[in-house]
């Protein structure tokens, strides 16, 4: 079962691929919802299953972890220093296949990544230019990238960075 912030979009959308890979539901939480999320977990977590907490303690607070520990539930927090590094941690946990396209979406707006989330493909969230960590990650993938959104979402300069790594296609319309 995947648990993420119910007030911010980035970790939840990053987690859409983890949900597909693990065949797991995504539960949204915030401090007032922790009890109902825990009740769902108690009723639905498979024997030996894991609860994946997406994002740092500012996304899903430490109190939620304490509640899981008190229930003797196995959990793993997938977090980085920001939404972009958390995205990479989530993608690395889920794993990618060598033949799998990587979707490239802006990490500062939700519309494009939300539209792409149902594909079951990995989504790399970007902003500005690729970070060194993102370049390292992409060096291990299939080298087939699909940019979701226009130049205002993912710049032509970033598209050129991707083209230096592999094949790039862009899917965009006049607006979201």
């Amino acid at each position: 079962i995947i648990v993420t912030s119910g007030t911010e979009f980035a970790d939840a959308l990053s987690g859409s691929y983890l949900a597909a890979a693990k065949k797991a539901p995504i539960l949204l939480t915030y401090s007032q919802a922790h009890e109902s999320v825990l009740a769902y977990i108690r009723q639905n977590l498979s024997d030996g299953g894991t609860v994946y907490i997406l994002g740092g303690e500012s996304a899903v607070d430490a109190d939620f972890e304490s509640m899981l520990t008190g229930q003797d539930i196995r959990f793993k927090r997938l977090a980085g220093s920001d939404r972009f590094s958390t995205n990479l941690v989530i993608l690395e946990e889920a794993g990618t296949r060598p033949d799998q396209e990587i979707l490239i979406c802006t990490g500062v707006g939700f519309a494009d990544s939300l539209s792409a989330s149902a594909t079951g493909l990995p989504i790399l969230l970007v902003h500005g230019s690729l970070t060194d960590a993102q370049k390292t990650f992409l060096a291990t993938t299939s080298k087939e990238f699909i940019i979701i959104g226009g130049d205002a979402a993912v710049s032509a300069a970033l598209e050129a960075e991707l083209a230096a790594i592999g094949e790039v296609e862009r899917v965009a319309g006049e607006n979201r």
Side-chain angles (χ1 to χ4, degrees):
I1 295 174
I2 298 165
V3 178
T4 190
S5 171
T7 60
E8 296 293 328
F9 70 90
D11 298 337
L13 292 171
S14 293
S16 65
Y17 175 62
L18 180 64
K22 301 288 185 182
K23 296 180 177 33
I26 297 176
L27 304 180
L28 304 178
T29 194
Y30 61 101
S31 59
Q32 290 81 16
H34 289 344
E35 287 292 336
S36 60
V37 170
L38 181 59
Y40 179 90
I41 290 169
R42 275 193 232 117
Q43 291 177 338
N44 295 284
L45 185 64
S46 302
D47 289 340
T50 300
V51 174
Y52 292 94
I53 302 170
L54 305 186
E57 290 181 5
S58 64
V60 178
D61 60 47
D63 291 343
F64 184 73
E65 276 189 34
S66 297
M67 293 171 74
L68 295 177
T69 302
Q71 299 294 312
D72 196 30
I73 294 172
R74 184 171 63 182
F75 65 90
K76 184 173 186 178
R77 185 178 287 271
L78 303 176
S81 60
D82 60 21
R83 67 182 57 192
F84 303 101
S85 59
T86 295
N87 175 237
L88 288 175
V89 171
I90 293 167
L91 291 176
E92 288 167 359
E93 179 70 26
T96 58
R97 297 186 321 267
D99 64 336
Q100 199 167 35
E101 298 164 320
I102 306 292
L103 304 179
I104 310 295
C105 298
T106 181
V108 295
F110 70 91
D112 296 332
S113 54
L114 178 61
S115 296
S117 66
T119 64
L121 293 172
I123 297 173
L124 181 68
L125 298 178
V126 298
H127 181 62
S129 60
L130 294 174
T131 65
D132 290 340
Q134 288 172 327
K135 290 175 189 175
T136 299
F137 171 75
L138 292 175
T140 68
T141 66
S142 73
K143 313 295 183 277
E144 293 183 36
F145 312 116
I146 302 173
I147 297 172
I148 308 297
D151 287 348
V154 178
S155 71
L158 198 142
E159 182 176 359
E161 284 185 84
L162 291 168
I165 300 169
E167 294 181 34
V168 181
E169 175 186 345
R170 185 184 288 268
V171 177
E174 290 182 35
N175 57 46
R176 44 173 82 173

